[in-house]
Every structure is written in C-alpha cells, then in structure tokens.
Amino acid sequence: MTNLEKYKNVFIESLSIKPDAFSEEIKYNDVPEWDSIGHMTLMSELEEEFKITLETDDIIDENSGYDDSFSSNLCQKWEASALKAEPLGIRTCLLRTGIVLGKNGGALSKMLPPFKMGLGGKIGHGEQWMPWVHLDDLVGIIIYCINNDNLKGPVNGTSPNPVINQVFTKTLGLALKRPTIFPMPKVVIKLLMGQMGEELLLVGKKILPQKVLDAGYDFKYKTLDDALKNIV
C-alpha cells in the first residue's frame, strides 16, 4: 500500500465513511506518489464549523477571522500547531471542511433515518447556514492542494453554494420524496447536546471556498440538489 493509499484510508476512517462511498471516478493515480512531488506538503483538517460560531449572514472566506467561542478557540489552536511545520520548509494547507455528504456514512448517516420515515424537519429557526460539501469534491480539493504549490494556509473545503438549514431540509425531503414537517426545537438541541450542539447546529455561516475557486478548481457537485441526487 502506498503512502497516498494509507492517507486516504485514514481520511475515510476519520469521517466514519466506508471506502466504497467514493466515486469510481476518483482513483489513487490522480495524485503523484509522495516521492515524485519533490517536496513535503502537510494537510491539516478541521471542520469549518469550528472556526466561527457566531451567527452571521456575512460571507466567510479564508481571510475571515475567528470569534471568541470555545469551538473557534479550539480551531485556532489546532491550526497554530499545524503551522509550526512551515519553518521546516513544509508547505502547509489548513483544510477547513464543511458538512461532508457521502454514501454509507458522513453527516447523512444520522440524518437519513428520521427523514426516510417522514419525521425530518428544520433545526431551530432553520435560517442558519449549512456549508455542505460532497465527499468526492472534498477529496478532489485535497488532491488539488497537493498538486498545486501555490495553495497554502487556510483552504475552505466547502461547496460554492451553501444553503440555509430550511432549504437543506426541504431539498433532502424532496430527494427522498418524504415530508419535512417535524422541526427540532432549539431547546431540544440545547438539552441533548449542550453548548457544542448550540454552536454547531443552531448557528450557521455562509462559507465560500474562495481560495480553490480562484485557483481554478472545478466542483463536480455545485448544487445541493445534484449532490443529494447522487447520494440518496
């Protein structure tokens, strides 16, 4: 097994997604062997939701700052540790992922059961943003970062078209041909998941992958409708 295969397997395990969830179009040979790259690249990955957890409709890109929440402070410390590799001459990409959507796992594995039974609905008021990304595109972004020397620092691994929770809920219901009339009240999230649930599920950010868009990455799944049709 090559180093790249090992990396991909670790990445799959970190997302709790089965290997067969990946599209057949994604092949290991899309990326050169580590020894042929000619230099080292460090990919540090953390969910973008941790970076800014104060609710906002402002566009968030790689140049946006942090807030004072617990989750954001955790993200800042994580990325500061990864950046210690740069003085060693290692190009470092801080991959900030969105809500990863894929077959046989990921975020949808917990959403699908109630939605398939017609018990799905918006979370809280439903106006919070959901920066989603299809698994194939997330892997594509990782490969793109490895192959492009000009990419370094923060890189948003999200779709160019985020949606609010209410739209996400409706789109998923249409894909499954199920109603979405049972909302999950804000108080339930707070009781079940505490501060972390409130920060990650009830507060949304309109996050855009500006850096990879400017670098020329072409998303395979640009809209949520196309992504869910491929998955469910």
PDB file of all heavy atoms in Angstrom, residues 168-193:
ATOM      1  N   PHE A 168     -31.912  23.171   3.045  1.00  0.00           N
ATOM      2  CA  PHE A 168     -31.285  21.845   3.091  1.00  0.00           C
ATOM      3  C   PHE A 168     -32.346  20.795   3.426  1.00  0.00           C
ATOM      4  O   PHE A 168     -32.419  19.735   2.793  1.00  0.00           O
ATOM      5  CB  PHE A 168     -30.169  21.827   4.134  1.00  0.00           C
ATOM      6  CG  PHE A 168     -29.383  20.554   4.160  1.00  0.00           C
ATOM      7  CD1 PHE A 168     -28.174  20.454   3.494  1.00  0.00           C
ATOM      8  CD2 PHE A 168     -29.847  19.433   4.848  1.00  0.00           C
ATOM      9  CE1 PHE A 168     -27.439  19.272   3.512  1.00  0.00           C
ATOM     10  CE2 PHE A 168     -29.124  18.250   4.881  1.00  0.00           C
ATOM     11  CZ  PHE A 168     -27.925  18.171   4.201  1.00  0.00           C
ATOM     12  N   THR A 169     -33.153  21.085   4.444  1.00  0.00           N
ATOM     13  CA  THR A 169     -34.191  20.161   4.888  1.00  0.00           C
ATOM     14  C   THR A 169     -35.186  19.867   3.767  1.00  0.00           C
ATOM     15  O   THR A 169     -35.528  18.705   3.506  1.00  0.00           O
ATOM     16  CB  THR A 169     -34.929  20.748   6.105  1.00  0.00           C
ATOM     17  OG1 THR A 169     -34.010  20.900   7.182  1.00  0.00           O
ATOM     18  CG2 THR A 169     -36.064  19.842   6.541  1.00  0.00           C
ATOM     19  N   LYS A 170     -35.642  20.910   3.107  1.00  0.00           N
ATOM     20  CA  LYS A 170     -36.619  20.750   2.025  1.00  0.00           C
ATOM     21  C   LYS A 170     -36.026  19.962   0.863  1.00  0.00           C
ATOM     22  O   LYS A 170     -36.688  19.078   0.291  1.00  0.00           O
ATOM     23  CB  LYS A 170     -37.092  22.120   1.542  1.00  0.00           C
ATOM     24  CG  LYS A 170     -38.159  22.052   0.459  1.00  0.00           C
ATOM     25  CD  LYS A 170     -38.631  23.447   0.068  1.00  0.00           C
ATOM     26  CE  LYS A 170     -39.709  23.374  -1.024  1.00  0.00           C
ATOM     27  NZ  LYS A 170     -40.180  24.736  -1.416  1.00  0.00           N
ATOM     28  N   THR A 171     -34.766  20.260   0.511  1.00  0.00           N
ATOM     29  CA  THR A 171     -34.110  19.574  -0.606  1.00  0.00           C
ATOM     30  C   THR A 171     -33.914  18.098  -0.311  1.00  0.00           C
ATOM     31  O   THR A 171     -34.117  17.231  -1.182  1.00  0.00           O
ATOM     32  CB  THR A 171     -32.755  20.235  -0.922  1.00  0.00           C
ATOM     33  OG1 THR A 171     -32.945  21.634  -1.136  1.00  0.00           O
ATOM     34  CG2 THR A 171     -32.124  19.627  -2.166  1.00  0.00           C
ATOM     35  N   LEU A 172     -33.522  17.777   0.918  1.00  0.00           N
ATOM     36  CA  LEU A 172     -33.348  16.376   1.303  1.00  0.00           C
ATOM     37  C   LEU A 172     -34.692  15.647   1.281  1.00  0.00           C
ATOM     38  O   LEU A 172     -34.786  14.499   0.830  1.00  0.00           O
ATOM     39  CB  LEU A 172     -32.712  16.279   2.688  1.00  0.00           C
ATOM     40  CG  LEU A 172     -32.465  14.861   3.229  1.00  0.00           C
ATOM     41  CD1 LEU A 172     -31.622  14.045   2.255  1.00  0.00           C
ATOM     42  CD2 LEU A 172     -31.792  14.925   4.595  1.00  0.00           C
ATOM     43  N   GLY A 173     -35.734  16.304   1.767  1.00  0.00           N
ATOM     44  CA  GLY A 173     -37.061  15.703   1.740  1.00  0.00           C
ATOM     45  C   GLY A 173     -37.528  15.416   0.318  1.00  0.00           C
ATOM     46  O   GLY A 173     -38.099  14.350   0.044  1.00  0.00           O
ATOM     47  N   LEU A 174     -37.280  16.350  -0.601  1.00  0.00           N
ATOM     48  CA  LEU A 174     -37.667  16.144  -1.998  1.00  0.00           C
ATOM     49  C   LEU A 174     -36.876  14.998  -2.626  1.00  0.00           C
ATOM     50  O   LEU A 174     -37.425  14.213  -3.406  1.00  0.00           O
ATOM     51  CB  LEU A 174     -37.442  17.439  -2.789  1.00  0.00           C
ATOM     52  CG  LEU A 174     -38.400  18.592  -2.485  1.00  0.00           C
ATOM     53  CD1 LEU A 174     -37.959  19.860  -3.211  1.00  0.00           C
ATOM     54  CD2 LEU A 174     -39.829  18.223  -2.887  1.00  0.00           C
ATOM     55  N   ALA A 175     -35.587  14.904  -2.290  1.00  0.00           N
ATOM     56  CA  ALA A 175     -34.762  13.825  -2.828  1.00  0.00           C
ATOM     57  C   ALA A 175     -35.252  12.460  -2.359  1.00  0.00           C
ATOM     58  O   ALA A 175     -35.180  11.467  -3.092  1.00  0.00           O
ATOM     59  CB  ALA A 175     -33.301  14.027  -2.416  1.00  0.00           C
ATOM     60  N   LEU A 176     -35.767  12.417  -1.135  1.00  0.00           N
ATOM     61  CA  LEU A 176     -36.264  11.162  -0.562  1.00  0.00           C
ATOM     62  C   LEU A 176     -37.760  10.974  -0.802  1.00  0.00           C
ATOM     63  O   LEU A 176     -38.311   9.917  -0.458  1.00  0.00           O
ATOM     64  CB  LEU A 176     -35.994  11.136   0.943  1.00  0.00           C
ATOM     65  CG  LEU A 176     -34.533  11.103   1.371  1.00  0.00           C
ATOM     66  CD1 LEU A 176     -34.418  11.314   2.881  1.00  0.00           C
ATOM     67  CD2 LEU A 176     -33.890   9.779   0.969  1.00  0.00           C
ATOM     68  N   LYS A 177     -38.415  12.024  -1.341  1.00  0.00           N
ATOM     69  CA  LYS A 177     -39.862  12.004  -1.553  1.00  0.00           C
ATOM     70  C   LYS A 177     -40.597  11.783  -0.230  1.00  0.00           C
ATOM     71  O   LYS A 177     -41.495  10.942  -0.116  1.00  0.00           O
ATOM     72  CB  LYS A 177     -40.234  10.931  -2.578  1.00  0.00           C
ATOM     73  CG  LYS A 177     -39.616  11.164  -3.950  1.00  0.00           C
ATOM     74  CD  LYS A 177     -40.001  10.091  -4.946  1.00  0.00           C
ATOM     75  CE  LYS A 177     -39.349  10.365  -6.306  1.00  0.00           C
ATOM     76  NZ  LYS A 177     -39.706   9.322  -7.315  1.00  0.00           N
ATOM     77  N   ARG A 178     -40.180  12.557   0.769  1.00  0.00           N
ATOM     78  CA  ARG A 178     -40.773  12.480   2.096  1.00  0.00           C
ATOM     79  C   ARG A 178     -41.107  13.889   2.589  1.00  0.00           C
ATOM     80  O   ARG A 178     -40.421  14.861   2.233  1.00  0.00           O
ATOM     81  CB  ARG A 178     -39.816  11.817   3.097  1.00  0.00           C
ATOM     82  CG  ARG A 178     -39.515  10.354   2.823  1.00  0.00           C
ATOM     83  CD  ARG A 178     -40.744   9.477   3.073  1.00  0.00           C
ATOM     84  NE  ARG A 178     -40.408   8.070   2.999  1.00  0.00           N
ATOM     85  CZ  ARG A 178     -40.379   7.363   1.862  1.00  0.00           C
ATOM     86  NH1 ARG A 178     -40.647   7.974   0.710  1.00  0.00           N
ATOM     87  NH2 ARG A 178     -40.074   6.090   1.871  1.00  0.00           N
ATOM     88  N   PRO A 179     -42.128  14.033   3.435  1.00  0.00           N
ATOM     89  CA  PRO A 179     -42.447  15.347   4.007  1.00  0.00           C
ATOM     90  C   PRO A 179     -41.402  15.752   5.045  1.00  0.00           C
ATOM     91  O   PRO A 179     -40.687  14.901   5.592  1.00  0.00           O
ATOM     92  CB  PRO A 179     -43.814  15.111   4.672  1.00  0.00           C
ATOM     93  CG  PRO A 179     -43.820  13.655   5.003  1.00  0.00           C
ATOM     94  CD  PRO A 179     -43.071  12.983   3.884  1.00  0.00           C
ATOM     95  N   THR A 180     -41.299  17.043   5.290  1.00  0.00           N
ATOM     96  CA  THR A 180     -40.339  17.552   6.290  1.00  0.00           C
ATOM     97  C   THR A 180     -41.065  18.554   7.182  1.00  0.00           C
ATOM     98  O   THR A 180     -40.784  19.750   7.147  1.00  0.00           O
ATOM     99  CB  THR A 180     -39.141  18.214   5.600  1.00  0.00           C
ATOM    100  OG1 THR A 180     -39.622  19.219   4.680  1.00  0.00           O
ATOM    101  CG2 THR A 180     -38.315  17.200   4.832  1.00  0.00           C
ATOM    102  N   ILE A 181     -41.963  18.045   7.992  1.00  0.00           N
ATOM    103  CA  ILE A 181     -42.854  18.916   8.772  1.00  0.00           C
ATOM    104  C   ILE A 181     -42.624  18.832  10.277  1.00  0.00           C
ATOM    105  O   ILE A 181     -43.381  19.412  11.053  1.00  0.00           O
ATOM    106  CB  ILE A 181     -44.328  18.584   8.462  1.00  0.00           C
ATOM    107  CG1 ILE A 181     -44.623  17.117   8.791  1.00  0.00           C
ATOM    108  CG2 ILE A 181     -44.646  18.894   7.008  1.00  0.00           C
ATOM    109  CD1 ILE A 181     -46.087  16.744   8.614  1.00  0.00           C
ATOM    110  N   PHE A 182     -41.579  18.106  10.698  1.00  0.00           N
ATOM    111  CA  PHE A 182     -41.339  17.950  12.126  1.00  0.00           C
ATOM    112  C   PHE A 182     -40.033  18.652  12.533  1.00  0.00           C
ATOM    113  O   PHE A 182     -38.964  18.041  12.509  1.00  0.00           O
ATOM    114  CB  PHE A 182     -41.266  16.467  12.510  1.00  0.00           C
ATOM    115  CG  PHE A 182     -42.568  15.741  12.344  1.00  0.00           C
ATOM    116  CD1 PHE A 182     -42.833  15.033  11.177  1.00  0.00           C
ATOM    117  CD2 PHE A 182     -43.523  15.783  13.335  1.00  0.00           C
ATOM    118  CE1 PHE A 182     -44.033  14.360  11.012  1.00  0.00           C
ATOM    119  CE2 PHE A 182     -44.737  15.122  13.188  1.00  0.00           C
ATOM    120  CZ  PHE A 182     -44.994  14.411  12.023  1.00  0.00           C
ATOM    121  N   PRO A 183     -40.099  19.907  12.885  1.00  0.00           N
ATOM    122  CA  PRO A 183     -38.880  20.644  13.263  1.00  0.00           C
ATOM    123  C   PRO A 183     -38.320  20.165  14.594  1.00  0.00           C
ATOM    124  O   PRO A 183     -39.042  19.604  15.426  1.00  0.00           O
ATOM    125  CB  PRO A 183     -39.371  22.087  13.369  1.00  0.00           C
ATOM    126  CG  PRO A 183     -40.810  21.956  13.729  1.00  0.00           C
ATOM    127  CD  PRO A 183     -41.308  20.739  12.999  1.00  0.00           C
ATOM    128  N   MET A 184     -37.017  20.360  14.772  1.00  0.00           N
ATOM    129  CA  MET A 184     -36.364  20.074  16.050  1.00  0.00           C
ATOM    130  C   MET A 184     -36.156  21.396  16.775  1.00  0.00           C
ATOM    131  O   MET A 184     -35.326  22.202  16.366  1.00  0.00           O
ATOM    132  CB  MET A 184     -35.028  19.365  15.861  1.00  0.00           C
ATOM    133  CG  MET A 184     -34.337  19.018  17.174  1.00  0.00           C
ATOM    134  SD  MET A 184     -32.845  18.021  16.968  1.00  0.00           S
ATOM    135  CE  MET A 184     -33.554  16.458  16.448  1.00  0.00           C
ATOM    136  N   PRO A 185     -36.903  21.651  17.836  1.00  0.00           N
ATOM    137  CA  PRO A 185     -36.811  22.944  18.530  1.00  0.00           C
ATOM    138  C   PRO A 185     -35.419  23.211  19.101  1.00  0.00           C
ATOM    139  O   PRO A 185     -34.675  22.288  19.437  1.00  0.00           O
ATOM    140  CB  PRO A 185     -37.847  22.806  19.659  1.00  0.00           C
ATOM    141  CG  PRO A 185     -38.771  21.722  19.215  1.00  0.00           C
ATOM    142  CD  PRO A 185     -37.913  20.774  18.427  1.00  0.00           C
ATOM    143  N   LYS A 186     -35.100  24.484  19.198  1.00  0.00           N
ATOM    144  CA  LYS A 186     -33.814  24.928  19.727  1.00  0.00           C
ATOM    145  C   LYS A 186     -33.568  24.382  21.125  1.00  0.00           C
ATOM    146  O   LYS A 186     -32.454  23.963  21.464  1.00  0.00           O
ATOM    147  CB  LYS A 186     -33.777  26.449  19.736  1.00  0.00           C
ATOM    148  CG  LYS A 186     -32.481  27.069  20.196  1.00  0.00           C
ATOM    149  CD  LYS A 186     -32.555  28.580  20.076  1.00  0.00           C
ATOM    150  CE  LYS A 186     -31.253  29.243  20.509  1.00  0.00           C
ATOM    151  NZ  LYS A 186     -31.325  30.722  20.375  1.00  0.00           N
ATOM    152  N   VAL A 187     -34.593  24.342  21.957  1.00  0.00           N
ATOM    153  CA  VAL A 187     -34.437  23.897  23.337  1.00  0.00           C
ATOM    154  C   VAL A 187     -34.025  22.433  23.408  1.00  0.00           C
ATOM    155  O   VAL A 187     -33.287  22.020  24.304  1.00  0.00           O
ATOM    156  CB  VAL A 187     -35.737  24.150  24.143  1.00  0.00           C
ATOM    157  CG1 VAL A 187     -36.887  23.316  23.584  1.00  0.00           C
ATOM    158  CG2 VAL A 187     -35.526  23.851  25.608  1.00  0.00           C
ATOM    159  N   VAL A 188     -34.484  21.618  22.452  1.00  0.00           N
ATOM    160  CA  VAL A 188     -34.129  20.191  22.439  1.00  0.00           C
ATOM    161  C   VAL A 188     -32.638  20.014  22.152  1.00  0.00           C
ATOM    162  O   VAL A 188     -31.954  19.200  22.775  1.00  0.00           O
ATOM    163  CB  VAL A 188     -34.974  19.431  21.400  1.00  0.00           C
ATOM    164  CG1 VAL A 188     -34.516  17.977  21.290  1.00  0.00           C
ATOM    165  CG2 VAL A 188     -36.448  19.498  21.771  1.00  0.00           C
ATOM    166  N   ILE A 189     -32.125  20.800  21.186  1.00  0.00           N
ATOM    167  CA  ILE A 189     -30.692  20.740  20.859  1.00  0.00           C
ATOM    168  C   ILE A 189     -29.858  21.102  22.085  1.00  0.00           C
ATOM    169  O   ILE A 189     -28.867  20.440  22.411  1.00  0.00           O
ATOM    170  CB  ILE A 189     -30.356  21.694  19.693  1.00  0.00           C
ATOM    171  CG1 ILE A 189     -31.046  21.235  18.412  1.00  0.00           C
ATOM    172  CG2 ILE A 189     -28.842  21.768  19.486  1.00  0.00           C
ATOM    173  CD1 ILE A 189     -30.547  19.926  17.871  1.00  0.00           C
ATOM    174  N   LYS A 190     -30.270  22.151  22.787  1.00  0.00           N
ATOM    175  CA  LYS A 190     -29.526  22.581  23.968  1.00  0.00           C
ATOM    176  C   LYS A 190     -29.541  21.522  25.063  1.00  0.00           C
ATOM    177  O   LYS A 190     -28.534  21.275  25.724  1.00  0.00           O
ATOM    178  CB  LYS A 190     -30.104  23.893  24.492  1.00  0.00           C
ATOM    179  CG  LYS A 190     -29.833  25.099  23.603  1.00  0.00           C
ATOM    180  CD  LYS A 190     -30.375  26.378  24.233  1.00  0.00           C
ATOM    181  CE  LYS A 190     -30.049  27.596  23.403  1.00  0.00           C
ATOM    182  NZ  LYS A 190     -30.558  28.845  24.026  1.00  0.00           N
ATOM    183  N   LEU A 191     -30.677  20.874  25.243  1.00  0.00           N
ATOM    184  CA  LEU A 191     -30.794  19.863  26.292  1.00  0.00           C
ATOM    185  C   LEU A 191     -29.985  18.608  25.959  1.00  0.00           C
ATOM    186  O   LEU A 191     -29.350  18.017  26.829  1.00  0.00           O
ATOM    187  CB  LEU A 191     -32.264  19.492  26.509  1.00  0.00           C
ATOM    188  CG  LEU A 191     -33.140  20.536  27.209  1.00  0.00           C
ATOM    189  CD1 LEU A 191     -34.598  20.092  27.218  1.00  0.00           C
ATOM    190  CD2 LEU A 191     -32.654  20.771  28.642  1.00  0.00           C
ATOM    191  N   LEU A 192     -30.016  18.203  24.689  1.00  0.00           N
ATOM    192  CA  LEU A 192     -29.355  16.963  24.292  1.00  0.00           C
ATOM    193  C   LEU A 192     -27.859  17.123  24.086  1.00  0.00           C
ATOM    194  O   LEU A 192     -27.082  16.223  24.395  1.00  0.00           O
ATOM    195  CB  LEU A 192     -29.988  16.426  23.006  1.00  0.00           C
ATOM    196  CG  LEU A 192     -31.426  15.938  23.103  1.00  0.00           C
ATOM    197  CD1 LEU A 192     -31.917  15.471  21.733  1.00  0.00           C
ATOM    198  CD2 LEU A 192     -31.560  14.807  24.117  1.00  0.00           C
ATOM    199  N   MET A 193     -27.433  18.272  23.563  1.00  0.00           N
ATOM    200  CA  MET A 193     -26.043  18.424  23.137  1.00  0.00           C
ATOM    201  C   MET A 193     -25.310  19.582  23.803  1.00  0.00           C
ATOM    202  O   MET A 193     -24.114  19.750  23.573  1.00  0.00           O
ATOM    203  CB  MET A 193     -25.983  18.575  21.619  1.00  0.00           C
ATOM    204  CG  MET A 193     -26.617  17.425  20.855  1.00  0.00           C
ATOM    205  SD  MET A 193     -26.454  17.589  19.074  1.00  0.00           S
ATOM    206  CE  MET A 193     -24.679  17.449  18.870  1.00  0.00           C
TER     207      MET A 193
END
